[in-house]
Amino acid sequence: MGELILIRHGETEWSLSGQHTSHTDLPLTAHGENQARALVPLLADRRIGVTLVSPLARARRTAELAGLRSTRINPDLHEWNYGGYEGVTTEEIRRTLPDWNLWTDGTTPGPGDHPGESPSDVSDRADRVLTEVRAAAGRAGDEDIALVAHSHFLRVLTARYLGLTATEGALFQLETGTVSRLGTEHGNPVITAWNLALPETLLRTVQDLPNSA
């Protein structure tokens, strides 16, 4: 295969406010839609053979506006299930748990179908995605494979790709509406690009571009 391209969805109201967002299916903000459109030139010279997308609307819309075609939904690309911390900021959680850290402590159970996930739970999902990617790579030749998903999940996936633990995903800050790439050097897994985006001065003009949807 070529490279593994990671795309974090564009901005939402909760990514802007810092609220943990997993199953809450928020739309992109206007700025988030512009961020997604601005991915088009960043992907223009890539030969993408397979695109896997989270089932959540913010990821699907980002893929659409970025001009990615023939996408396939993969439920394992869903964001970290935050359980009882859904919609809550880290600062709010630390008012009662000053030392809380998502990367080591995981989440607290939430209602119904949202029990929350531990780092190892998310790691297992990331490993399943990487297994699918490796199988697809055998069919894709030298084409890239793209994943359109969410910050915390993609950070765990990056750690696992590099042979690190899920907890070490904390090392890889990931911004909204960005492209990152994973590849190899001398047969070893490496990060080849991280948090690529158009400069803000150019991003402001994106709303004048034709909608790629």
Side-chain angles (χ1 to χ4, degrees):
M1 64 176 276
E3 293 188 315
L4 184 56
I5 299 178
L6 311 182
I7 300 170
R8 184 185 174 190
H9 64 76
E11 178 192 86
T12 68
E13 290 292 347
W14 282 11
S15 69
L16 185 60
S17 63
Q19 292 168 264
H20 287 93
T21 322
S22 55
H23 59 83
T24 304
D25 212 2
L26 297 176
L28 300 179
T29 62
H31 179 67
E33 294 217 343
N34 287 339
Q35 287 180 314
R37 293 186 184 97
L39 297 174
V40 173
L42 298 178
L43 299 172
D45 64 344
R46 310 302 306 191
R47 295 180 62 245
I48 299 175
V50 177
T51 300
L52 304 178
V53 183
S54 160
L56 295 169
R58 56 192 183 271
R60 290 186 285 109
R61 181 62 169 160
T62 296
E64 179 183 23
L65 293 175
L68 295 168
R69 307 302 180 196
S70 302
T71 59
R72 187 164 78 246
I73 300 298
N74 184 323
D76 278 331
L77 288 170
H78 195 287
E79 180 59 299
W80 195 315
N81 188 315
Y82 300 121
Y85 293 147
E86 182 79 2
V88 184
T89 67
T90 296
E91 291 73 19
E92 290 170 331
I93 297 167
R94 287 181 174 171
R95 288 174 191 166
T96 53
L97 297 170
D99 297 325
W100 178 79
N101 185 325
L102 175 68
W103 298 98
T104 54
D105 302 327
T107 62
T108 189
D113 297 330
H114 308 297
E117 287 184 298
S118 68
S120 63
D121 292 332
V122 185
S123 180
D124 288 345
R125 286 200 286 119
D127 287 349
R128 289 198 296 268
V129 172
L130 289 173
T131 296
E132 181 173 352
V133 164
R134 291 180 184 112
R139 303 187 295 271
D142 61 354
E143 293 180 319
D144 298 325
I145 295 175
L147 306 179
V148 187
H150 313 272
S151 175
H152 283 138
F153 178 79
L154 290 175
R155 291 166 69 175
V156 171
L157 183 138
T158 297
R160 297 300 299 141
Y161 178 87
L162 297 172
L164 305 173
T165 66
T167 297
E168 290 168 294
L171 300 172
F172 310 113
Q173 185 184 39
L174 193 59
E175 303 291 342
T176 55
T178 56
V179 172
S180 301
R181 300 198 307 268
L182 305 178
T184 59
E185 182 183 47
H186 306 306
N188 299 314
V190 296
I191 296 173
T192 56
W194 197 257
N195 272 335
L196 300 181
L198 289 185
E200 281 294 323
T201 52
L202 294 178
L203 188 57
R204 295 189 192 104
T205 69
V206 168
Q207 61 264 30
D208 299 325
L209 297 175
N211 193 320
S212 60

